[in-house]
């Protein structure tokens, strides 16, 4: 029996939690998620399955008191940096699924940078967590094609989550069946992008490829690529995005007209 501490958020994590709970040889001993937010799908899944929910601090306390013991940690889009007992308690380590290509794209803003950099493929990385961010030894990186001339951050995230689901199921089961950590290779190089740096990239500046930048940061309800007028930020959209978000049965007499 492999005891797992599951840390994750979004629908993909809820689905993985359901999947893992149905597998023999696995015991989910606790779940950390965005339970402080209303409408958290992973929280709902954990409650439906009768699994204990922890916050970051209550999990640390339980580990220090010996009440929370586990063999393998899993982090799927979990947003907190793990430290202390999170790094030392699980004998088989903690595997993080990072929605970007490592070692090249560490930190945040991966979807945005993939489009801004004009990449023709994107990927999901699995690595063991260490005491920094996205720097632990790599287990595997799976890649899939993308079109940087049509993708938005939102569409790339959607496709990435589909890939992550199958990848995570396969690799987690390999880790469960192994009595030791999975084989790894070095996670060296690349660049780390902070959230502040990612937010600063959104401003439209002279010389920017405006259309590409609009798509690279289109991820409602978050602010997108913007211009600033009189101290106010205004998110831009282009014609294709406008048509995508319009009601399916809407029509316009002037859409596409030069005189509109």
């Amino acid at each position: 029996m492999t005891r797992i501490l599951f840390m994750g958020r979004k629908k993909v994590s809820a689905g993985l939690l359901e999947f893992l709970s149905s597998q023999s040889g696995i015991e989910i001993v606790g779940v950390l998620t965005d339970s402080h937010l209303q409408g958290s799908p992973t929280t709902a899944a954990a409650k439906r399955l009768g699994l204990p929910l922890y916050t970051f601090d209550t999990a640390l306390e339980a580990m220090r008191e010996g009440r929370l013991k586990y063999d393998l940690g899993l982090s799927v889009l979990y947003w907190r940096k793990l430290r202390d007992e999170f790094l030392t308690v699980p004998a088989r380590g903690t595997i993080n699924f990072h929605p970007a290509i490592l070692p090249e794209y560490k930190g945040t803003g991966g979807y945005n940078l993939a489009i801004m950099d004009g990449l023709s493929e994107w990927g999901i990385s699995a690595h063991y967590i260490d005491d920094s961010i996205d720097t632990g030894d790599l287990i595997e990186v799976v890649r899939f094609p993308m079109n940087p001339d049509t993708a938005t951050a939102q569409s790339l995230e959607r496709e990435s989550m589909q890939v992550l689901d199958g990848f995570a199921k396969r690799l987690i089961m390999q880790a469960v069946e192994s009595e030791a950590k999975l084989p790894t290779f070095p996670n060296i190089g690349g660049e780390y992008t902070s959230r502040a740096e990612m937010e600063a990239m959104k401003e439209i500046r002279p010389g920017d490829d405006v259309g590409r930048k609009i798509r690279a940061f289109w991820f409602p309800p978050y602010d997108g690529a913007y211009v600033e007028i009189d101290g106010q930020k205004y998110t831009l959209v282009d014609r294709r995005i406008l048509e995508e978000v319009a009601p399916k049965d809407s029509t316009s007499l002037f859409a596409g007209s030069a005189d509109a």
Side-chain angles (χ1 to χ4, degrees):
M1 181 68 69
T2 298
R3 299 167 299 176
I4 290 176
L5 180 66
F6 186 92
M7 297 160 276
R9 62 190 185 91
K10 296 195 173 185
K11 289 182 179 180
V12 67
S13 291
L16 286 171
L17 202 54
E18 298 268 10
F19 169 78
L20 294 172
S21 296
S22 69
Q23 303 301 304
S24 61
I26 293 177
E27 179 187 3
I28 307 294
V29 298
V31 177
L32 280 72
T33 184
D34 49 0
S35 52
H36 59 291
L37 301 176
Q38 291 185 348
S40 164
T42 311
T43 299
K47 289 181 176 179
R48 187 165 57 251
L49 295 165
L51 300 174
L53 281 162
Y54 290 91
T55 66
F56 186 90
D57 292 330
T58 59
L60 267 181
E61 180 182 11
M63 282 187 273
R64 288 168 178 168
E65 295 177 354
R67 293 183 287 107
L68 179 57
K69 300 177 181 179
Y70 58 103
D71 308 299
L72 176 67
L74 298 175
S75 172
V76 184
L77 310 179
Y78 189 64
W79 75 100
R80 291 287 298 269
K81 179 184 177 182
L82 301 182
R83 57 179 172 80
D84 303 332
E85 280 76 8
F86 283 105
L87 304 179
T88 60
V89 167
R92 286 187 253 170
T94 294
I95 298 173
N96 179 51
F97 291 90
H98 178 63
I101 297 172
L102 290 175
E104 290 87 346
Y105 292 90
K106 294 177 167 71
T108 62
Y111 305 134
N112 319 107
L113 290 168
I115 298 169
M116 293 290 288
D117 291 347
L119 300 187
S120 60
E121 64 176 10
W122 192 233
I124 307 293
S125 304
H127 68 95
Y128 284 108
I129 285 178
D130 61 10
D131 59 0
S132 190
I133 299 175
D134 300 334
T135 56
D137 288 343
L138 286 162
I139 304 168
E140 186 178 349
V141 180
V142 294
R143 299 170 184 256
F144 58 91
M146 62 168 284
N147 186 340
D149 298 323
T150 59
T152 66
Q154 185 180 55
S155 70
L156 185 54
E157 193 256 7
R158 185 166 53 246
E159 188 168 1
S160 296
M161 293 304 97
Q162 294 173 352
V163 173
L164 189 156
D165 180 66
F167 175 40
K169 287 175 181 175
R170 173 176 60 79
L171 193 134
I172 291 169
M173 295 311 296
Q174 290 177 9
V176 167
E177 293 165 4
S178 174
E179 295 182 357
K181 287 186 175 182
L182 297 173
T184 60
F185 56 100
N187 182 0
I188 298 172
E191 294 190 10
Y192 175 85
T193 302
S194 69
R195 181 161 295 280
E197 289 170 329
M198 186 268 287
E199 290 295 331
M201 293 176 196
K202 294 180 177 181
E203 184 175 5
I204 300 291
R205 297 182 175 91
D208 281 347
D209 182 335
V210 177
R212 183 176 297 276
K213 202 162 195 176
I214 287 172
R215 289 185 294 98
F217 292 98
W218 179 254
F219 203 139
Y222 300 103
D223 291 337
Y226 68 88
V227 293
E228 187 168 332
I229 302 173
D230 296 333
Q232 296 292 318
K233 296 179 180 179
Y234 296 91
T235 291
L236 302 185
V237 298
D238 62 12
R239 166 57 60 183
R240 189 173 69 84
I241 289 175
L242 192 60
E243 290 175 351
E244 286 180 356
V245 300
K248 298 302 181 184
D249 59 350
S250 65
T251 59
S252 171
L253 292 173
F254 307 109
S257 170
D259 297 326

